[in-house]
Amino acid sequence: MSDSPPAITLRGLRKRFGKTQAVDGIDLDIPRGSFYGVLGPNGAGKTTTLSMATGLLTPDAGQVLIHGVDLWRHPDAAKPLLGVLPDGLRTFDRLTGAELISYAGILRGVPKDEVRARRDDLLAALDLGAAGSTLVADFSAGMAKKVGLACALVHAPRVLVLDEPFEAVDPVSGAAIRSILQSFVASGGTVVISSHVMALVERLCDRVAIVGGGRVLAEGSLDEVRGDGDLERRFVELVGEVADKRDLAWLRQS
Amino acid sequence: MVATILSLRWRILIHQFQRDWWRLLFVVAGLVWSVSIVPLLVVGSQQLAFENIGVRHDALVLVSGLLGAAWIVVPLLATGVDDSLDPHRFAPWGVNVRRIMPGLAAAAFSTVPALFFVAVGGVMVSVWHTVDGAPLVMVLGAVGALATVASWVFGARVAVLWATRALASRVGRLLIAAIICTAVVLLVGAALIVRASGLEDFFSYEVPGLITGWSRTPVAAGFAAAGMLAAGEPYAATWRLAIAICWAAVLYVAWRGEVARALVQPVARSGGSRRISDGILAAVGSSPAASAGLRGLLFSPQTAVIRARLARSWATDSRHLAQLIGAVLFPVIGGGMAVVVAGGAGAWIAALPVALALGIGWGRHNDLAYDSSAIWLDIVSGVKGRRVLMGRMLATSQWAVPIVVAASLAAAAIASRWDVALPVAAASIGVLGVAYGVATVTSVLLPYRVPAPGQSPFGSDAGAIGASLVGQAVSSLGTGVLVPVVAGPLVAAFVWGGAWWAVTVAAGLLIGPAAAVGGMMLAGSLYDQRSGRLIGALS
């Protein structure tokens, strides 16, 4: 087990957009079977890093290995290992929820009958019964998130990379998703999530990386990173507090 | 509020130009073109100023009618309307329609086309400076011209908002289809009547009557009013001016109504329609595994589901429907004019399906962009680009090939030349294939932003015209170089006949599909190489 490569290895990953260095040399090893949290303030480079780690964005420099396979050199071998839920991207909105899951399954090479069975399982497990026959165009944000997660799961990948998977999801569905992901990790899968919700990360993740300014500021097991305090305090220490704590006196009602 | 909205619009434009500075070059080019054409208009109007009053009146009515039609048709079928101040964007701020409308109107008049056509209106009015009582006639003409230009600007907004709403519902789509069919039937009927009576008779006897009738409509009355006053008919001039002003007011009220609606109602996406059956799974064949080569590409499950997804978009997505209608209508209108001009000559009629095929194929040069950032699902799934693009090509072929073949048969029927039906159909399919082959490569190499899913299909990014021009220019160049290979034999056949007819059929049916597949293969390789850059380019 110790000889097997990590689920995801990032080496020297860089990305620049115009004058902005979004990702500035990120190195990470995400162990197999871990529930890994990527934390960072807005604009820290989390989404850019995850996009490069999943084949959605070409890095300027660096290497991405999925179970030891170079994603950008051998995408045919690496992409089937990944299940991906990006944040802030559109979805094919003329399909129903059920059709979108079927579409993802067929694209991933799952046989038709197997796709049908898995589609129905996922719709039930994620409480998407009504969404199955509703066009994605009419979905709420939470429904879109859940059906996106179903698309990431349908081919039973070995690594799940989920950008803000609990955003806009109601508590009941959130509990169902947590249960699915924890069960996936317990069976040997790897989950990487990005989130701003510290309590959620502390509850779910066994390892975390805090990213700021396109770099890794801290990385390790949850206990190693948060030390004696809680994760939120450690996060604020690393990324810094809001510099100008201006008093909005005009906002007070009396 | 007017100053706030105008300032907002300028700030949006400045930010866009700071982000993509090169777009400014195209705006400057548009301004230079607009300014450079003014001297020509001035010279033309000066010459017209010395014609008799009736000629001047008829010329202005005719020109204003054509420009009015262009203000409706062009935004719907070609460039769209600058949507930087889309009223939907103001919905979260709780702005009252009464406060926002003056600002939106001022912004609508501050665009380059609106300012240019105000200048054009002024130049057109100057033809009256030589008549008796010129000052009064020109003042009346200026008021009529301003009312007419206002009706063009408001009319374009109303047409786009109504068409957007209509395309979003099934009933609306049926209504639009009925209107288009009626218009095409009327156009063809009119063309046949013109052909039967002859062009000379048409221009001598029919056109003057049409112009007189047209000058009494709200659309042309504004420019007709000054002519009536110059002809010594003040009452006719007054009521023409009145209906022109009322027409502009009616269109403003209609636009205001649409804005008020947009401020309180979100964009209808699908009308809440539901689908019980899984159309995606149904599209996948029962064969367990795809074979290698072209056959594997054609029949792979991935190709099947991508084709099914795109076929759904072509049938229900208003952005795709607007493209389809535009691709078909332009050549049909052009064909109607060809019938009038050519009087039924076979070679000219044959140009209709060829032009139709060219328009459909060339128009797909930005096909990929209509998926917007949703293509992430295709990309992370690791599907090979060739399968993605084969699926897209099959979805387009599903409607394009039948339309091109039907147009070829219709052209043969109109020209009474059934002997050329097969060669014309073959050449048209050849042109469709070649143009599509070039376009599919361009769509991967040079995509540019289009209205995103759920947005108005007639919206146009302020300044986006530059990027689109680059894509269109490259696609046009490639198409212009390669299309003669399949269209040339048809021309030769009409000129020399003989074996050229057989060559036309062979070239069309062999080279066209081969070019489409070849272009798709090349585009597929480029897609694989560029997959990590596509989302950034499309969103």
Side-chain angles (χ1 to χ4, degrees):
Chain A
M1 183 71 182
S2 60
D3 291 338
S4 55
I8 298 180
T9 305
L10 308 181
R11 287 287 174 270
L13 220 48
R14 289 177 192 278
K15 188 69 187 180
R16 174 180 283 277
F17 298 110
K19 293 176 183 170
T20 307
Q21 185 72 48
V23 174
D24 191 13
I26 281 190
D27 296 302
L28 276 181
D29 286 314
I30 298 176
R32 293 183 187 208
S34 62
F35 206 131
Y36 200 95
V38 179
L39 306 171
N42 297 324
K46 302 186 299 292
T47 294
T48 306
T49 302
L50 295 186
S51 295
M52 291 189 287
T54 53
L56 287 171
L57 182 67
T58 310
D60 293 340
Q63 195 179 30
V64 178
L65 304 177
I66 310 295
H67 280 256
V69 181
D70 191 321
L71 173 74
W72 288 96
R73 282 177 186 269
H74 306 290
D76 294 349
K79 283 185 176 178
L81 304 173
L82 285 169
V84 181
L85 173 65
D87 187 45
L89 300 183
R90 294 180 179 277
T91 312
F92 296 123
D93 68 350
R94 309 310 301 181
L95 304 182
T96 63
E99 287 174 331
L100 193 67
I101 299 168
S102 299
Y103 182 78
I106 296 292
L107 288 190
R108 292 291 197 167
V110 181
K112 181 179 174 179
D113 291 338
E114 187 63 31
V115 167
R116 183 179 286 116
R118 291 184 187 185
R119 174 202 69 190
D120 293 343
D121 286 348
L122 285 164
L123 287 172
L126 290 167
D127 192 23
L128 282 166
S133 56
T134 306
L135 294 190
V136 172
D138 293 330
F139 274 16
S140 67
M143 284 163 75
K145 235 358 161 191
K146 288 195 286 180
V147 88
L149 180 64
C151 291
L153 294 169
V154 69
H155 63 295
R158 298 177 71 180
V159 182
L160 278 171
V161 180
L162 313 173
D163 198 351
E164 303 283 0
F166 295 96
E167 196 177 59
V169 173
D170 66 81
V172 175
S173 300
I177 293 172
R178 281 198 303 274
S179 168
I180 290 168
L181 298 182
Q182 284 169 326
S183 162
F184 177 74
V185 170
S187 69
T190 308
V191 174
V192 182
I193 63 167
S194 81
S195 180
H196 294 107
V197 186
M198 299 298 151
L200 181 81
V201 172
E202 283 190 292
R203 190 170 166 188
L204 285 178
C205 299
D206 48 48
R207 294 186 72 85
V208 293
I210 296 177
V211 178
R215 293 168 175 272
V216 176
L217 303 176
E219 195 276 332
S221 70
L222 191 59
D223 290 336
E224 285 169 353
V225 171
R226 67 183 167 190
D228 296 333
D230 63 20
L231 191 59
E232 184 165 332
R233 187 184 300 170
R234 179 68 177 140
F235 179 86
V236 173
E237 279 173 14
L238 285 167
V239 304
E241 292 191 67
V242 175
D244 186 356
K245 289 186 174 174
R246 194 165 299 194
D247 181 21
L248 304 182
W250 48 267
L251 193 58
R252 293 194 194 113
Q253 301 298 299
S254 60
Chain B
M1 192 53 129
V2 172
T4 306
I5 289 179
L6 285 179
S7 148
L8 178 64
R9 182 167 191 279
W10 282 110
R11 190 124 323 260
I12 290 169
L13 280 176
I14 288 166
H15 287 163
Q16 282 177 333
F17 291 138
Q18 281 174 341
R19 187 177 163 192
D20 298 322
W21 62 267
W22 49 270
R23 290 182 178 192
L24 195 58
L25 298 177
F26 291 92
V27 174
V28 171
L31 280 170
V32 169
W33 180 86
S34 302
V35 170
S36 68
I37 209 165
V38 169
L40 282 174
L41 290 169
V42 171
V43 170
S45 65
Q46 288 310 305
Q47 290 193 337
L48 192 59
F50 295 98
E51 296 289 339
N52 69 50
I53 288 174
V55 170
R56 278 182 265 182
H57 167 272
D58 289 356
L60 292 192
V61 167
L62 198 63
V63 170
S64 70
L66 291 174
L67 293 179
W71 269 84
I72 301 297
V73 172
V74 172
L76 288 180
L77 297 185
T79 61
V81 166
D82 170 9
D83 68 351
S84 57
L85 291 180
D86 179 354
H88 288 102
R89 297 182 186 182
F90 291 91
W93 311 112
V95 188
N96 187 303
V97 69
R98 204 174 50 213
R99 291 187 67 208
I100 202 176
M101 275 311 289
L104 289 181
F109 274 101
S110 66
T111 62
V112 173
L115 293 173
F116 172 67
F117 280 96
V118 167
V120 169
V123 172
M124 287 165 73
V125 168
S126 72
V127 304
W128 301 115
H129 76 275
T130 55
V131 298
D132 292 338
L136 185 57
V137 173
M138 289 182 66
V139 167
L140 191 93
V143 175
L146 274 178
T148 306
V149 174
S151 69
W152 293 345
V153 173
F154 299 150
R157 300 270 157 179
V158 172
V160 161
L161 287 167
W162 280 359
T164 302
R165 198 136 62 91
L167 281 174
S169 73
R170 185 174 294 180
V171 174
R173 288 195 287 270
L174 287 173
L175 186 67
I176 285 182
I179 291 170
I180 289 171
C181 289
T182 309
V184 168
V185 168
L186 289 175
L187 196 72
V188 170
L192 292 174
I193 292 169
V194 169
R195 208 184 85 180
S197 61
L199 266 185
E200 200 173 320
D201 281 357
F202 178 72
F203 281 111
S204 301
Y205 302 110
E206 304 295 338
V207 170
L210 286 174
I211 288 177
T212 303
W214 186 245
S215 75
R216 292 172 183 150
T217 65
V219 180
F223 276 100
M228 299 312 292
L229 186 62
E233 296 187 44
Y235 293 115
T238 305
W239 75 255
R240 279 176 170 78
L241 184 65
I243 61 168
I245 293 170
C246 286
W247 179 237
V250 164
L251 289 173
Y252 178 80
V253 170
W255 182 28
R256 189 180 187 279
E258 286 301 311
V259 171
R261 190 175 191 281
L263 288 175
V264 294
Q265 290 190 19
V267 180
R269 302 293 299 275
S270 72
S273 59
R274 302 176 80 84
R275 284 177 183 273
I276 303 301
S277 63
D278 188 329
I280 293 296
L281 276 189
V284 180
S286 52
S287 55
S291 55
L294 188 59
R295 183 179 159 76
L297 206 55
L298 266 173
F299 297 106
S300 81
Q302 285 91 349
T303 303
V305 295
I306 290 167
R307 182 202 57 73
R309 172 174 70 75
L310 266 298
R312 174 82 56 80
S313 292
W314 280 113
T316 63
D317 185 334
S318 55
R319 299 166 313 134
H320 284 80
L321 285 165
Q323 289 186 79
L324 196 158
I325 292 168
V328 174
L329 266 196
F330 265 134
V332 169
I333 292 169
M337 291 168 70
V339 172
V340 174
V341 174
W348 281 103
I349 304 299
L352 168 62
V354 174
L356 179 68
L358 187 65
I360 292 172
W362 176 86
R364 308 285 68 75
H365 66 268
N366 200 28
D367 190 45
L368 204 60
Y370 282 85
D371 277 348
S372 190
S373 57
I375 60 161
W376 70 265
L377 188 51
D378 292 355
I379 293 172
V380 299
S381 300
V383 186
K384 300 304 280 182
R386 288 174 181 178
R387 292 189 177 186
V388 172
L389 293 163
M390 174 60 96
R392 304 187 79 90
M393 187 170 79
L394 292 176
T396 302
S397 307
Q398 255 177 270
W399 60 267
V401 171
I403 284 178
V404 165
V405 170
S408 303
L409 298 178
I414 291 171
S416 304
R417 287 285 307 269
W418 285 105
D419 57 313
V420 302
L422 177 61
V424 167
S428 301
I429 286 172
V431 168
L432 177 67
V434 170
Y436 188 90
V438 173
T440 193
V441 174
T442 321
S443 80
V444 176
L445 269 185
L446 293 165
Y448 55 89
R449 273 179 291 164
V450 295
Q455 290 184 343
S456 164
F458 310 112
S460 165
D461 235 17
I465 192 164
S468 61
L469 281 177
V470 174
Q472 289 167 11
V474 171
S475 187
S476 301
L477 185 68
T479 308
V481 169
L482 295 176
V483 155
V485 176
V486 283
L490 182 65
V491 176
F494 271 107
V495 175
W496 295 299
W500 281 108
W501 293 111
V503 173
T504 302
V505 173
L509 296 182
L510 294 176
I511 296 174
V517 171
M520 180 273 297
M521 299 285 243
L522 174 60
S525 300
L526 292 168
Y527 178 100
D528 293 335
Q529 290 166 29
R530 292 173 49 80
S531 62
R533 296 184 207 141
L534 283 174
I535 291 176
L538 301 183
S539 55

